[in-house]
Amino acid sequence: MQIRFTKMQGAGNDFVVLDETQGRLGLTPAHYRFLADRHFGVGADQILTVRPAPTDGVDFEYVIHNADGGEVEQCGNGARCFARFVHDKGLTAKTEIRVQTQAGVIAPRLTDDGRVTVNMGAPVLEPARVPFDASGLPEQRKAQALTWPLELQAPALQPQVEVVAVSMGNPHAVQLVADVEAAPVAVVGPLIENHVRFTQRVNAGFMQVLSRQAIKLRVYERGAGETLACGTGACAAVVAGILLGVLDHRVDVHTRGGLLTIEWAGGAQDAVMMTGPATTVFEGQIHIPEEL
Ligand SMILES: N[C@H](CCC[C@H](N)C(=O)O)C(=O)O
């Protein structure tokens, strides 16, 4: 099967974008894994699929698959690249685009400086909705919990980490570290990603506070491994930092792939606003082997 794709990146988080506005390609998880493969396919952290609006009130639907082939609820860097894609392809003349995702409707907006701002919706902290299984933890811990203890099954490392569990439509476990460059992301990241208390697995964020208006962040992503940036991860980290009292309401998030700016007023119903880059790298076509 020969398919056309667009390669894009947002702060170094990279994507294969597929246009299904004229009809479905009928791809399977194995096909998504092949497209994401950096040796046998195109190479990407996620595959983004653009589809026609499923209902009134939105302009498009966008579907997200991780490199491991699994469909997920939300992708922040992907939302910015989606908006750039539909605008530059002439699929819409709008600069603020309402799009249905598995996690609900979001509205990326193309700004005059070439970046994209996205209303990512309100964060969710209720454990059952992250989802995070708090069973067996002391009752008083549940009552006032902001951070949760995660026992790590890796004796060579610290036996436990404290994380803030927050959903941006997709689950995040954020911890404070003194130095992100020295943080054991490659070892602790997978342990957190697959921790039994995160029943849908989780994205593991490692946040270093530089000031009340700036952090450095590394994220070991669910279904993709460490990426150069994670948009929903940046939102989750800033929400966690504001709740912990160490960040103000507008924060520059320095990732390995670039700068994201996150704003959150701090109310449970307040939307998290994310601004950052979205770049088309190249167009291409690829043969997907039938035997996948
Ligand atoms: N790995 C994430 C999906 C992609 C999120 C990330 N690339 C972003 O920019 O938000 C998950 O499994 O929830």
Side-chain angles (χ1 to χ4, degrees):
M1 171 179 15
Q2 195 79 6
I3 64 165
R4 305 186 64 76
F5 66 87
T6 300
K7 183 73 191 301
M8 301 187 77
Q9 59 87 11
N13 187 193
D14 67 338
F15 309 103
V16 165
V17 184
L18 303 174
D19 182 349
E20 288 194 354
T21 58
Q22 306 305 315
R24 299 284 180 96
L25 294 169
L27 301 183
T28 66
H31 291 139
Y32 294 120
R33 283 192 295 274
F34 171 81
L35 288 169
D37 191 293
R38 297 190 185 282
H39 302 283
F40 296 101
V42 179
D45 296 322
Q46 282 87 30
I47 313 296
L48 312 180
T49 302
V50 180
R51 292 181 179 155
T55 60
D56 292 342
V58 295
D59 301 302
F60 296 94
E61 176 183 24
Y62 118 94
V63 179
I64 305 136
H65 290 85
N66 277 325
D68 70 0
E71 184 177 347
V72 290
E73 310 88 343
Q74 192 54 272
C75 179
N77 291 321
R80 300 197 312 275
C81 288
F82 152 82
R84 168 80 59 228
F85 178 84
V86 295
H87 184 268
D88 291 359
K89 288 285 186 183
L91 296 173
T92 180
K94 293 181 178 179
T95 55
E96 178 153 356
I97 301 147
R98 289 178 57 79
V99 58
Q100 183 70 53
T101 71
Q102 199 188 94
V105 177
I106 56 173
R109 176 170 54 84
L110 298 161
T111 59
D112 296 339
D113 64 0
R115 294 188 298 170
V116 184
T117 292
V118 192
N119 175 334
M120 294 300 294
V124 170
L125 291 149
E126 180 192 336
R129 293 177 56 208
V130 172
F132 175 77
D133 176 6
S135 60
L137 292 175
E139 284 311 311
Q140 79 275 11
R141 184 77 197 246
K142 293 182 189 175
Q144 48 76 29
L146 192 51
T147 65
W148 297 98
L150 287 187
E151 313 75 28
L152 297 183
Q153 313 304 327
L157 287 157
Q158 72 249 59
Q160 180 173 299
V161 292
E162 289 284 324
V163 298
V164 176
V166 51
S167 173
M168 290 304 303
N170 59 343
H172 291 269
V174 184
Q175 62 180 286
L176 285 170
V177 295
D179 175 0
V180 287
E181 296 311 324
V185 173
V187 175
V188 172
L191 296 177
I192 296 174
E193 177 196 8
N194 297 290
H195 197 281
V196 64
R197 288 193 181 278
F198 287 98
T199 52
Q200 300 295 319
R201 297 186 296 156
V202 71
N203 300 283
F206 300 77
M207 165 168 66
Q208 176 185 346
V209 177
L210 302 174
S211 73
R212 293 190 62 85
Q213 298 84 28
I215 63 171
K216 289 175 77 172
L217 179 68
R218 291 174 66 184
V219 181
Y220 190 92
E221 287 199 27
R222 177 181 61 172
E226 181 174 7
T227 58
L228 294 184
C230 178
T232 51
C235 296
V238 170
V239 166
I242 291 171
L243 292 172
L244 290 169
V246 297
L247 294 178
D248 289 343
H249 295 295
R250 185 182 190 280
V251 179
D252 283 343
V253 179
H254 299 276
T255 75
R256 287 183 154 184
L259 173 66
L260 301 176
T261 300
I262 309 296
E263 296 177 84
W264 184 51
Q269 302 311 315
D270 289 332
V272 182
M273 302 302 291
M274 170 191 65
T275 299
T279 303
T280 297
V281 183
F282 63 88
E283 308 276 351
Q285 57 186 1
I286 186 169
H287 172 72
I288 295 185
E290 297 307 328
E291 67 274 13
L292 280 182

